[in-house]
Amino acid sequence: MSNRLQSSSVTHLDLKKVTLIQQNGHPSINQLDLRVNHFERVAIIGSSGSGKTTLLSILGTALKPSSGEYLVNTKNPWSLSREKLRQLRTQIGFIYQAPPLPLKQRVITSVLAGKLGKWPIWKSMLSLLYPMDIAGPQNILEKLKLSEALFVRCDTLSGGELQRVGIARVLYQDPELILADEPISALDPVLSELIIEQILHHQQKTIVVSLHDVEVALKWFPRIIGLKEGQLQFDLPAEEVTEEMLAALYSSATVA
């Protein structure tokens, strides 16, 4: 295995006593210990303000912990060179609750942007003017029931449709690690099931998803992490999560 592949692959994630302090001085994440292994499917549940999005942002190297240690493949991402950190991030795909898509851009261009970190500069620049691949985005959008939107502008789409475009972009990116922040928040139950199924369809990926819908989490994810006020409340197989645990997790939660 080449040094480049070793530096950019994502095999396991380790958080050791990780804390992230907000600007107001309160911790979003507090003394969190967590390990995510290769190809695991993990759902993070908890009330709004519990730290789910912050945790995902740390895992995706978008936020650096205030204290503690976060390791990807036994290495601190922030100790890597700029180039190696860039390579690592090309293997991490982040699905946002409200994807930051340029509204005047066509859907196909937004989906193709998933490859910008992996394509050479000339191909990335050219793809902004003319689609370098049509079949790939079209195939993914068909699976997400959005193929008719391939060449339309993003500002003509609904919130749920934009959310699916953001998901399509990450699936087209084909990363090793998928982090998804409430990927079904704007979707109806039928589409929600379809989207979760498509995200989980790829067996050779590590997937960590935050969800408000506990039933979806328990149905689709074998491992459930419960967060409350930035602290780990439980980390269990789905079948071991009890109603009492869920009641305690959502009781008297502080909303940030």
Side-chain angles (χ1 to χ4, degrees), residues 49-83:
S50 61
K52 301 189 299 296
T53 299
T54 301
L55 176 54
L56 289 174
S57 296
I58 293 172
L59 293 176
T61 75
L63 291 177
K64 182 179 179 180
S66 305
S67 63
E69 188 174 47
Y70 174 46
L71 303 176
V72 181
N73 310 342
T74 74
K75 293 185 178 180
N76 180 344
W78 294 278
S79 69
L80 299 175
S81 67
R82 180 178 297 182
E83 175 60 18

Side-chain angles (χ1 to χ4, degrees), residues 30 81 121 145 215:
N30 193 5
S81 67
I121 293 296
K145 305 299 183 185
E215 290 185 5

Side-chain angles (χ1 to χ4, degrees), residues 19 21 46 61 91 97 113 164 218 230:
T19 295
I21 304 297
T61 75
Q91 296 302 335
Q97 183 175 1
R164 279 182 280 165
L218 294 174

Side-chain angles (χ1 to χ4, degrees), residues 127-145:
S127 74
L128 295 175
L129 302 174
Y130 182 83
M132 300 301 292
D133 178 19
I134 294 177
Q138 186 173 36
N139 180 54
I140 292 171
L141 289 168
E142 283 178 357
K143 293 177 180 178
L144 301 180
K145 305 299 183 185

Side-chain angles (χ1 to χ4, degrees), residues 119-160:
W119 282 348
I121 293 296
W122 69 266
K123 190 171 184 179
S124 297
M125 295 301 293
L126 189 58
S127 74
L128 295 175
L129 302 174
Y130 182 83
M132 300 301 292
D133 178 19
I134 294 177
Q138 186 173 36
N139 180 54
I140 292 171
L141 289 168
E142 283 178 357
K143 293 177 180 178
L144 301 180
K145 305 299 183 185
L146 200 60
S147 59
E148 71 282 356
L150 185 63
F151 291 107
V152 305
R153 284 187 7 168
C154 290
D155 57 5
T156 67
L157 303 180
S158 68

